[in-house]
Amino acid sequence: MKKFFIPLVLIVISVIFLAFSSKANDVNEEDKFIEDLLAKMTLEEKVGQMTQITLEVVTKEGEGRDPSKPLTMDIDKLRNALVDYKIGSIINTGGAANTVEAWQEIITTIQDVATKETNLKIPILYGIDAIHGASYTLGSTLFPQNITMAASRNLDLVKESAAITSYEIRASGIPWNFNPVLGLGRQPYWPRFWETFGEDSYLAAQLAENYVMGIQGDDPSNPVKAAACIKHYLGDSMPNNGRDRTPAWIPERVIRDILLPPYAAGVKAGALTVMVNSGENNGIPAHSDQFLITEILKGELQFKGFVVSDWEDIKRLHTRDRVAATPKEAVKMAVMAGLDMSMVPFDFSFATLLIELVNEGEVPLSRIDDAVKRILYVKHKLGLFDNPYPNKELINGFASDEFRKVNLKAAQEAITLLKNENSILPLSKDKKVLVTGPTSNQMMNLNGGWTITWQGNVESLYPKEKNTFLEAVQAEIGDDNVSFVQGVTINSEINIEEAVKAAENVDAIFACLGEDPYCETPGNITDLTLDEVQLKLVNELSKTGKPIVLVLYEGRPRGINKIVDKVDAILMGYLPGMEGADATVDIIYGEVNPSGKLPFSYPKTPMGFTTYDYKPLEKFDVNDYDPQWPFGFGLSYTSYEYADLSVTESAKIGESIEVSVKVTNTGKVAGKETVELYVTDLYGSVTRPVKQLKGFEKVYLESGESKVINFTLTSDHLSFHNRENKKVVEPGDFNVKIGNLIKSFTLN
Ligand code: BGC
């Protein structure tokens, strides 16, 4: 035995050594490649790499082109940008989605000029907002939006959907995705709420890690992988007044305990780029925040990729925020804060001003070199120096049926059952139904913004073969069993009376309410309550006494308190994507047992928003955490029971705590349950949240089946920032809560 053992050990050691040294060689080669290239670059070529323009700058059509027509490149303008200004990056779509073939042509033309006509032949880095799939490629697989994916609590599905997204943008020749949004959904008015993974920092961090791994894989140069862009760093999601790009006051402890962990997880998973928040925190526009960008992100988190500005935001340090007295000072401020690339995006002023600043000694060349190295590093990691062109073969797998099935599954696992009085659902298929409401017969209400166009609101451009809710119900139970009267639009009455009349002849009513699509600032609102006319529709229908199933397709939790008691069942569809209507109908008719869980606290009243990880003061005296439905809520057609919670009773700081629990499906049908572990730190040197999610696992259980789920709590799960803003774990007692079981442990 021994004779074999020694050579075996040697072989293993040498294999490990070789693996590491070849990795080290790769890294050295990469560094050398970048250093060599940098050494050849002029100042103009360097600042060119740091400059990003939008596609309209190099196409024939200007802004506002007809979204149904393909765009054409203007080769002179392209040469001007790439050869004269030496720019390094182009973004966006020039108005609307293109076919995959048109994209391949556009990218090929761009890379031809970049790699054949410029001095150093550096490929262009093309970027796009593929927020829920390849949003700007016609016919792509468009998934549930992030908030919906978070409701699925399924890490594998998040990773798979991201991997399909990277495949489909790469099929177009695009290797860079401006997603995921890692701001937290803790301000329900914010119009980008649905782009987040919800209110919880731990949940968002887990999803961030899986999304980034799905997009980038282990090796982003793989022809079906791309670079992720975690955004908008930091504080975008918590504007004081709820409107997009307005000021936030966020203390450092909140930044470090709550907002930073998803970014830390994204960076740890290898995210190659970060985009900066367009707003301001504590009076400092994020684009000028040296502390956040250079000290925390590049320093503490050791982020190796590059930091890109958001749209026009460097200019806005001067034009809007007035922290810079001139456009030139704005450029200096942003670059010295740590910005590596400017999304200018309509001109070349950034490059011109930055050259002046370097020549005048206002910006050191070392800062420029650092930025350019980071950009070249990302281009190298993506394999663009080897092949910057679209891989035409990928068309074969584009929008495949296999991808569609993953999409359907994601929606099925996310849609959340919020109410089911007298188990009215699942409904039997022999019932006649009335379908009504403003979100019942349009694809755009299922998809929201970043779909085909920026705002996602051009219904005529949506694929005809996909089902609206009405079409999905018709397909399921036959046209003869379905009547349709829309009743209202999002905010005006059409024919409520007619809907009420139609209700008399059916057994059940499906009322689809919610929001029309929106994106960014155009989605600002000043009242969270759903428009009165939609509430009126349900109110009037409820007078018929017919059972009502309310289906919500909305990007944020609009107030529906006034009608909750008037309906029998409520399904939260969020923005479930192209297969979302089919998934909803699968749940209504019991082909799928719902398993989605709210990724936010659904407020009861317009100002009644408190997150589930509130402080003791928020449920004290007359204060209360009293949502319509709490974070983590979601019903099922079966029931689950928890037993045998076991928790390490005491440990020293630094040691881990082992937790296990048995979960049993006690109902009649199979289902998926998300086991959630919450921790409460009973006393702390600063006030501690009443509970925090620190572990979750989604498990499939046949009727009657039990499984034991194990969790390990480490120092990281138990730490927070103390009065000095130092990360600490403090000794004392903690509670662990799973289901309705609670056990304590002590840290010494
Ligand atoms: C948005 C970003 C987006 C960028 C490029 C901005 O307006 O805030 O999220 O990535 O445009 O389209």
Side-chain angles (χ1 to χ4, degrees):
M1 276 303 279
K2 261 193 174 159
K3 269 188 207 154
F4 285 107
F5 180 69
I6 293 171
L8 196 68
V9 166
L10 281 178
I11 291 168
V12 171
I13 290 174
S14 4
V15 167
I16 292 173
F17 176 76
L18 282 175
F20 272 96
S21 58
S22 79
K23 200 77 195 166
N25 276 343
D26 286 353
V27 171
N28 288 340
E29 270 173 35
E30 181 170 71
D31 285 351
K32 190 173 174 318
F33 174 85
I34 293 168
E35 289 292 347
D36 288 352
L37 185 52
L38 190 75
K40 291 185 204 144
M41 292 173 82
T42 61
L43 179 58
E44 285 71 17
E45 281 162 338
K46 288 177 183 173
V47 300
Q49 285 301 309
M50 295 170 70
T51 306
Q52 182 181 70
I53 54 168
T54 183
L55 188 61
E56 287 101 311
V57 175
V58 292
T59 53
K60 289 223 164 96
E61 286 85 358
E63 258 183 301
R65 80 178 168 101
D66 177 351
S68 61
K69 294 199 183 111
L71 46 75
T72 27
M73 299 296 295
D74 184 322
I75 198 76
D76 293 332
K77 286 190 194 166
L78 185 63
R79 287 195 172 114
N80 180 244
L82 272 53
V83 182
D84 301 339
Y85 283 96
K86 305 161 198 346
I87 65 111
S89 176
I90 306 184
I91 59 164
N92 277 8
T93 175
N98 301 301
T99 61
V100 69
E101 291 84 1
W103 268 124
Q104 292 186 344
E105 261 177 54
I106 291 168
I107 302 296
T108 302
T109 310
I110 291 173
Q111 299 297 18
D112 270 347
V113 175
T115 62
K116 293 180 184 151
E117 299 186 29
T118 67
N119 186 29
L120 291 172
K121 311 188 180 338
I122 301 174
I124 288 290
L125 179 56
Y126 205 102
I128 208 101
D129 296 281
I131 304 295
H132 65 131
S135 39
Y136 290 143
T137 309
L138 286 172
S140 64
T141 308
L142 292 178
F143 289 94
Q145 297 281 7
N146 285 353
I147 195 73
T148 324
M149 293 302 296
S152 80
R153 301 293 201 272
N154 188 326
L155 298 177
D156 294 336
L157 274 175
V158 169
K159 198 180 194 176
E160 234 178 310
S161 71
I164 292 170
T165 300
S166 72
Y167 180 104
E168 294 196 355
I169 59 172
R170 271 281 176 143
S172 294
I174 298 171
W176 188 17
N177 182 10
F178 302 138
N179 203 35
V181 170
L182 296 185
L184 298 176
R186 296 174 81 87
Q187 167 45 288
Y189 281 80
W190 189 46
R192 308 192 75 165
F193 186 92
W194 50 269
E195 292 183 61
T196 75
F197 288 127
E199 77 184 36
D200 184 58
S201 184
Y202 178 82
L203 174 62
Q206 300 296 306
L207 300 176
E209 179 188 335
N210 281 276
Y211 190 94
V212 170
M213 282 169 17
I215 289 285
Q216 298 193 174
D218 293 334
D219 176 7
S221 74
N222 181 320
V224 296
K225 291 296 167 196
C229 183
I230 54 181
K231 69 184 189 183
H232 309 82
Y233 183 79
L234 182 125
D236 57 346
S237 62
M238 289 179 35
N240 302 334
N241 67 12
R243 290 178 225 170
D244 192 32
R245 293 165 158 91
T246 53
W249 296 104
I250 312 178
E252 189 175 333
R253 185 171 308 105
V254 174
I255 288 180
R256 291 188 179 279
D257 279 347
I258 296 176
L259 294 180
L260 202 55
Y263 285 97
V267 169
K268 202 163 163 218
L272 287 170
T273 68
V274 172
M275 189 185 293
V276 177
N277 166 22
S278 292
E280 62 168 74
N281 300 323
N282 313 325
I284 301 177
H287 281 71
S288 64
D289 200 332
Q290 207 260 352
F291 176 61
L292 277 183
I293 300 170
T294 300
E295 286 186 40
I296 297 190
L297 179 66
K298 292 180 174 177
E300 290 177 27
L301 299 186
Q302 295 186 19
F303 171 64
K304 297 276 174 290
F306 73 81
V307 178
V308 63
S309 84
D310 201 346
W311 192 266
E312 264 187 13
D313 281 324
I314 295 183
K315 287 183 176 191
R316 286 180 184 150
L317 293 175
H318 166 64
T319 56
R320 183 192 62 190
D321 303 325
R322 293 192 275 129
V323 289
T326 62
K328 191 159 154 184
E329 197 184 331
V331 170
K332 176 179 167 186
M333 209 176 240
V335 172
M336 292 314 290
L339 261 298
D340 301 308
M341 183 183 278
S342 172
M343 190 184 287
V344 190
F346 289 111
D347 59 48
F348 308 102
S349 56
F350 172 81
T352 314
L353 294 172
L354 191 51
I355 291 169
E356 286 174 25
L357 285 162
V358 176
N359 288 335
E360 289 157 10
E362 292 289 320
V363 171
L365 196 58
S366 55
R367 176 72 267 277
I368 304 291
D369 284 350
D370 171 53
V372 177
K373 271 196 238 172
R374 288 168 178 273
I375 293 165
L376 297 177
Y377 166 78
V378 171
K379 291 188 175 186
H380 190 262
K381 274 269 170 289
L382 286 167
L384 296 181
F385 288 102
D386 292 331
N387 182 8
Y389 289 101
N391 181 341
K392 299 221 160 127
E393 307 260 293
L394 294 182
I395 285 194
N396 301 331
F398 181 84
S400 65
D401 196 50
E402 190 196 325
F403 291 176
R404 187 193 59 77
K405 285 185 186 142
V406 177
N407 193 3
L408 177 66
K409 187 165 179 230
Q412 289 171 337
E413 288 212 13
I415 292 168
T416 307
L417 182 62
L418 296 176
K419 179 174 181 181
N420 196 14
E421 206 72 5
N422 303 320
S423 298
I424 179 184
L425 295 182
L427 207 67
S428 77
K429 287 191 190 173
D430 53 12
K431 299 255 186 297
K432 287 201 179 303
V433 301
L434 165 70
V435 172
T436 183
T439 62
S440 59
N441 199 23
Q442 292 183 122
M443 290 308 298
M444 65 183 190
N445 301 98
L446 304 168
N447 284 279
W450 301 121
T451 311
I452 308 171
T453 60
W454 175 44
Q455 292 294 314
N457 57 1
V458 188
E459 181 68 19
S460 60
L461 299 179
Y462 276 75
K464 305 286 172 284
E465 68 278 12
K466 298 289 174 190
N467 282 336
T468 65
F469 178 83
L470 171 65
E471 290 161 351
V473 177
Q474 286 168 333
E476 186 76 18
I477 61 171
D479 292 10
D480 293 349
N481 287 321
V482 187
S483 350
F484 172 65
V485 181
Q486 191 180 316
V488 298
T489 70
I490 290 293
N491 53 16
S492 64
E493 187 162 340
I494 309 173
N495 49 0
I496 294 184
E497 260 177 47
E498 214 177 291
V500 171
K501 220 160 170 207
E504 280 159 19
N505 306 319
V506 301
D507 305 305
I509 301 165
F510 297 161
C512 300
L513 307 187
E515 297 184 311
D516 273 344
Y518 54 86
C519 201
E520 301 187 48
T521 314
N524 283 347
I525 49 169
T526 50
D527 185 355
L528 198 60
T529 313
L530 205 59
D531 198 278
E532 283 300 329
V533 82
Q534 295 194 47
L535 304 179
K536 181 176 167 193
L537 171 69
V538 168
N539 243 321
E540 295 303 314
L541 287 168
S542 72
K543 293 179 189 159
T544 65
K546 298 285 162 97
I548 301 179
V549 178
L550 173 62
V551 177
L552 296 166
Y553 292 127
E554 55 184 11
R556 57 196 149 191
R558 303 299 297 262
I560 52 163
N561 180 248
K562 290 179 191 156
I563 56 168
V564 167
D565 290 342
K566 312 239 150 125
V567 301
D568 302 82
I570 303 179
L571 275 167
M572 177 57 162
Y574 314 88
L575 297 172
M578 288 292 179
E579 311 299 327
D582 288 344
T584 314
V585 169
D586 288 343
I587 290 174
I588 288 178
Y589 289 103
E591 271 143 42
V592 168
N593 186 356
S595 62
K597 300 267 184 203
L598 281 178
F600 49 80
S601 306
Y602 202 119
K604 208 179 253 178
T605 52
M607 282 306 287
F609 193 71
T610 304
T611 54
Y612 86 92
D613 53 347
Y614 58 89
K615 296 295 185 66
L617 201 53
E618 290 173 276
K619 193 179 168 83
F620 179 73
D621 198 356
V622 294
N623 294 340
D624 204 0
Y625 173 66
D626 183 28
Q628 192 82 60
W629 297 284
F631 172 84
F633 187 79
L635 302 169
S636 162
Y637 294 153
T638 186
S639 50
Y640 302 99
E641 244 173 57
Y642 289 90
D644 305 342
L645 175 63
S646 129
V647 178
T648 307
E649 276 175 18
S650 76
K652 294 207 181 80
I653 288 179
E655 291 174 353
S656 55
I657 304 290
E658 300 302 328
V659 178
S660 75
V661 73
K662 188 169 96 178
V663 55
T664 306
N665 180 347
T666 49
K668 293 203 173 66
V669 290
K672 284 190 166 184
E673 167 73 336
T674 301
V675 179
E676 294 184 319
L677 182 162
Y678 291 95
V679 172
T680 305
D681 183 356
L682 294 184
Y683 295 90
S685 58
V686 292
T687 57
R688 306 291 293 126
V690 292
K691 64 174 187 174
Q692 288 181 298
L693 184 73
K694 292 296 175 187
F696 66 93
E697 192 175 324
K698 193 165 190 174
V699 281
Y700 174 80
L701 294 166
E702 294 287 349
S703 160
E705 191 184 356
S706 298
K707 275 185 186 152
V708 174
I709 310 296
N710 299 301
F711 298 97
T712 300
L713 293 171
T714 64
S715 290
D716 228 28
H717 294 109
L718 306 174
S719 66
F720 62 97
H721 288 80
N722 67 9
R723 291 187 184 219
E724 287 74 43
N725 279 330
K726 294 259 155 14
K727 190 171 180 177
V728 290
V729 180
E730 292 180 344
D733 293 338
F734 296 76
N735 281 347
V736 167
K737 185 169 189 281
I738 300 183
N740 43 17
L741 306 174
I742 299 181
K743 278 240 161 122
S744 305
F745 67 89
T746 307
L747 274 190
N748 303 300

